[in-house]
Amino acid sequence: MLLTKKSSHAAQVASSSASPFVHSLRRGLSQALPTMDRRSFLRRSGLGVGVGIAASQLTLVKKSNAAEGAKVGIGDSKIEVRRTICTHCSVGCAVDAVVENGVWVRQEPVFDSPINLGAHCAKGAALREHGHGEYRLRYPMKLVNGKYERISWDTALNEITAKMQELRKASGPDSVYFVGSSKHNNEQAYLLRKFVSFWGTNNCDHQARICHSTTVAGVANTWGYGAMTNSYNDMQNSKVALYIGSNAAEAHPVSMLHMLHAKETGCKMIVVDPRFTRTAAKADEYVRIRSGTDIPFLFGLLYHIFKNGWEDKKYINDRVYGMDKVREDVLAKWSPDKVEEACGVKEDQMFKVAKMLHDNNPGTIVWCMGQTQHTIGNAMVRASCILQLALGNVGKTGGGTNIFRGHDNVQGATDVGPNPDSLPGYYGLAEGSWKHFAAVWGVDFEWIKKQYASPAMMTKSGITVSRWIDGVMENNELIDQDSNLRGVFFWGHAPNSQTRGLEMKRAMDKLDLLVVVDPYPSATAAMAAMPGKAEDLNPNRAVYLLPAATQFETSGSCTASNRSLQWREKVIEPLWESRSDHMIMHQFAEKLGFAAELSKNYKMQKVKGMDEPVPEDILREINKSVWTIGYTGQSPERLKAHMKNMHLFDVKTLKAKGGKDKDTGYDFTGDYFGLPWPCYGTPELKHPGSANLYDTSKHVMDGGGNFRANFGVEKDGQNLLAEDGSHSLGAEITTGYPEFDHVLLKKLGWWDDLSDAEKAKAEGKNWKTDPTGAIIRVAMKHGCHPFGNAKARAVVWNFPDAIPQHREPLYGTRPDLVAKYPTHDDKKAFWRLPTLYKSVQDKNVADKAYEKFPLILSSGRLVEYEGGGEETRSNPWLAELQQESFVEINPKTAADRGIRNGERVWLSSPTGARINVQALVTERVAPDTVWMPFHFSGRWQGADMLAYYPKGAAPVVRGEAVNTATTYGYDSVTMMQETKTTICNVERA
């Protein structure tokens, strides 16, 4: 069923009868350059605006006598409109794809979408080329004698699975590593975690590890869920917005629409960044800080807030634990002089920003990878949370922490996908979690256990994607698993987005098996084929490339940063020999002997004559299992109805005031667009989703809530539950309470609200494991939140620093501050690997690395490209806009080095890497800092890698990857890589 109307036959006839010439001309214009907007087309072709107007109104033009009786290419084309979602960033922009005879011919942004409001950025406007891109990987290939050769799918599947079984027999299931993808839809991400579990390992991960893992851990441990609390839309209700480590104008361009609307109604915009970005250009106040000093800045603001009594004292008393200890720490350590010394911001500007936050209420805070990608990223994000808690800004319209995620489904892939420390829905790896999913999957728990090397490995977190290199190269005696990694799957992941590029190349060469599953060959293919050190190359290594279909060649759901789910229709059939990711998983499972278990609950549909699991059935399985975060109410039917009726949802609140779906009769009243999780209970409960988390001003059945009771009921004699009178609207329990389980229901006298059948299944269960959803239904019937009602934690006692502490990066230019703010001690076994902190930092100080490499190196996004950049740099329309990798360097720094704008330079780092890029001399960066975009690959220390790509599948634009030069360093909780703060030198080439 199409979510959007087919073009009516009557309309086509009317159009055709108006004028065959007009029809042909209009069709020709629309298809000649289908990915170019009208203004660009007119500008390039030299036509004036008047001609553009004429062309857009051709139906009013009188027939030409010369064309009478002529028939010019009308045809009986079948034209359909398929509604999909942009596959680039996490904003979730909707697109209507026009498909003619199976070919995607043009696109339009969806004007009814409450998220993108009919807008596109450059990437979104060029989306069609991603589907029909000519530089895609077209068929399976194998690396033979340094060149990629075409092979059949059967050969590829047989050889890869035989190699996997060989590695399993010799070294166990943990010897194979699976890097999943934030480009997978929810169904594919979920299926991959299931697939990896049935293979028998927790060695899996995806891009969230290296973009927002510190956010997920830090925020979840503060108040319950590790996600954006409000929405892009809700920012229109903000009176002040603090962007810190976020360049939304380039990284999330369409999100800026909502902020610009907010500015029209008086919202003050503050941008804090080491670099003057395009976002900073829109700010009312720009603050430049030294990279990595977010905590001194944020706690410097709190110093003024506490000193002036600007904190929300009642809110803190009722809903926050530990703020008194934070206050003591801040006032003792972060006086204005200490703040200026650490981050470089003077007292008068700190006071000004703090007063802006106090005077303008409600206020929101936005952060991205500028804050997360540090060895203390977990502490930085908690400092942002603490600032908002002090101001009473969490759980209210226009407030919250609006954490902008990266890829189109990085939120969903984190929620239900291949995480090494959890099962879908952040269920841990304890036996109870496994039994919960075994029941949903319809397989025996003991059978899953036998797939693992041992019961201990089944409950042990796997290696993170940020450290797979060390999983290959580390001394085996120091690894907390039997074998080193010997096989790696890159299933939709860009290697150039990870640090330590030189070592990654060595790790790739040492593998026995490397498999790339991707619509594009990615930098992995070229890195693997490129000659390395002879002593590193494993003579038995096998490298395969498998062409995956894009998200436009399948259907499924994706979760935007604001937690709204949207359903993509299939736009086109898989091109060339590409296959959908979930089909490939099923086919691997067939060869490995567990397809019956993997796909037990799914119907099969035929695609190109082959079996493919039906995405709707996978989503229904998610609906039956992921109670923890409320992925249970978003049935395929509800999501499809939302996609067809976007016009019903308010652009500020995302709420539908009424309306029914004309096909199904579904009533939208009260629903929030995309049913943002948590959408609790079964679909039949019709929970509306939660637009703003922790909002006590609303009833739980209207998306209201409170902070989660996930950390006990008291700590050191202090109450961890909410105080009397603090509760969601209409709750029958008017004080704090723990999470709901069968015992609490019985104590409250609510157990009899369950049917006898429900009681039998809910006995001994809590709200997260009750398979009927009845415990959730009954709690919400009484106005209570199933996860309890507690205080947020300003002090997180289970983290390395209970109160966030500033610590200098491992590679820095300020040895004086390293002495005052040293990093953590080394760890022997952390996510299965030894992890170094203090020993690296001390060595760098002792070696005076800051003298050889006196510049801070940071990196970030460009508006034209996405992620590792392979697919966007393979798009001719985007490639034309940004043709060179470059480094931004301050005029003073450039002058001191004899560098002129546009000249080639060598950037060198402590790793020994030297990368050749173009100099962009600009005051965007301070004299002590340089900056590079991270989207480039295809050149390696000055050499073009074109010869190492599969023929015809190299990106249009190739450039040096900044991460060839980046250094060692990982977050002390999540193993996030430290990419925003390292050191380098730049010299004229």
Side-chain angles (χ1 to χ4, degrees), residues 89-93 115-116 232 252-255 405-406 560-562 566:
C89 85
S90 67
V91 174
C93 299
I115 293 178
N116 60 301
Y232 299 111
H252 306 86
V254 176
S255 75
R405 301 299 297 264
S561 197
N562 73 306
Q566 298 184 84

Side-chain angles (χ1 to χ4, degrees), residues 278-351:
R278 292 186 184 183
T279 309
K282 297 292 184 183
D284 295 281
E285 185 74 16
Y286 167 66
V287 184
R288 193 192 296 278
I289 63 172
R290 181 171 63 96
S291 183
T293 60
D294 301 53
I295 291 173
F297 173 78
L298 292 163
F299 278 9
L301 295 178
L302 278 174
Y303 180 91
H304 291 290
I305 289 166
F306 289 140
K307 276 284 188 180
N308 289 280
W310 291 339
E311 72 271 27
D312 189 329
K313 296 177 181 63
K314 177 167 175 49
Y315 180 97
I316 292 169
N317 177 74
D318 291 349
R319 302 190 65 186
V320 183
Y321 163 82
M323 190 64 80
D324 54 335
K325 294 180 181 177
V326 172
R327 177 191 173 98
E328 289 173 14
D329 197 73
V330 166
L331 294 178
K333 295 178 180 177
W334 293 112
S335 56
D337 59 318
K338 298 292 188 217
V339 171
E340 184 175 352
E341 178 190 44
C343 71
V345 185
K346 295 186 180 299
E347 180 179 2
D348 58 346
Q349 190 173 30
M350 293 297 301
F351 178 83

